[in-house]
Amino acid sequence: MVGKSPLDPSDTRKVVLLEPFVHQVGGHMSMMKYDEHTVCKPLVSQEQWFYESLPLAMRQFTPQYKGIISVHLKKDSLGNLNLIASPSLQMENCSLLDNTINESSVTIWHKCKWATTSSNGSEHAFVKWSHTQLTKTLKDSCSGKMLLRTDLQYHTDSLLEDANGNQPERNSYNPWGLHCHRQHLNRMSSKYNENKLHQFLLLENVVSKYNYPCILDLKMGTRQHGDDASEEKKARHIKKCEQSTSGSLGVRICGMQVYQADTGQFLCKDKYYGRKLTPEGFRQTLHQFLCNGNHLRMDLLEPIILQLKALLSVIRKQSSYRFYSSSLLIIYDGLENKENATPLDNHLQGHFQKTYCTMSHGTGHSKVDVRMIDFAHTTFKGSKCNHTTYDGPDHGYIFGLENLIKILQNLSEGK
């Protein structure tokens, strides 16, 4: 890009229109969809260094790191802001460019409406987002395959809580990523002009292989502030931990979406819901995450527990690593194989009376994923941003993993 504006019409390289990643359930930094198998996020040097020096044993538990791209803002003919990615000249792997488009593509964003008020004045109330995208039939530059982009429409109900403090079930996709996207566009447009290039990390889309991705985003550890946090931010994060299950369990829910087979919709929860949970509420929400509206997915418990135990073994061996403010994703497909279901016993029916689930004992293999994400505040010996060198493994993270495993084991045993 040296010597050329990102909007230079003489630049004939393909560019990619970044879309909001509709399966982002937590975090505050906007995740964008680059192509079907790749997402991207604003580059933070500390996170980049983590991925580039990632211990081999941890690779199976993190998204694949695919490199860096340049991104700039661009207004369309209606004055709406889009994010455009410019792939590096060195990117020779055409499989990354499933969504490449050229300047002749017709792209329209409209009816983007956000509510900004709630019953308690907090930032988490936002309603109904509608997005229609019309593009011409595009020809993939790598394979010659014809790609047809069809209309997309997502609707969500209000995130306002009811009188009892409960969030209503909502239609379609989790709106949290759209909330992050809106905030990110506002920040970028207020600080920079359209010609400003921003660097983004390219990462594996870990949910791309799932038809109906059920995702649990867990903030891990007993400490959430990084070494570089200001005293004000440090105090704020310490208070959040003390007042949530981060302090009591070493883990708290940061976001969730779970497909409900009985309604064909996703049930979604956000970080504000997770902060208010007691340890018992946390346990019930884990149960809810594994319930598809008809029955409890017992077939998922063993593979999830096995992966968490494998991760625990790896984390125990990572001396000097501190995964402050990182998250752990648990993912499975809401579209399950045909299984036999058995009713819950009376004790469990009473305990989880709000979920109305039966137990489902699967006979086949259930695919699940456990992935660590968000390493902007991770520190380790040799890190270029290292402020403090720690000895031994991250005991706060280990504490959270151990409690998570115990709770899931109790669920599998009907406790």
Side-chain angles (χ1 to χ4, degrees), residues 23 234-235:
H23 294 302
K234 179 179 177 181

Side-chain angles (χ1 to χ4, degrees), residues 113-117 123 125-128 182:
K113 182 180 179 182
W114 299 84
T116 57
T117 60
E123 61 180 291
F126 41 95
V127 300
K128 191 169 285 188
R182 173 215 179 201

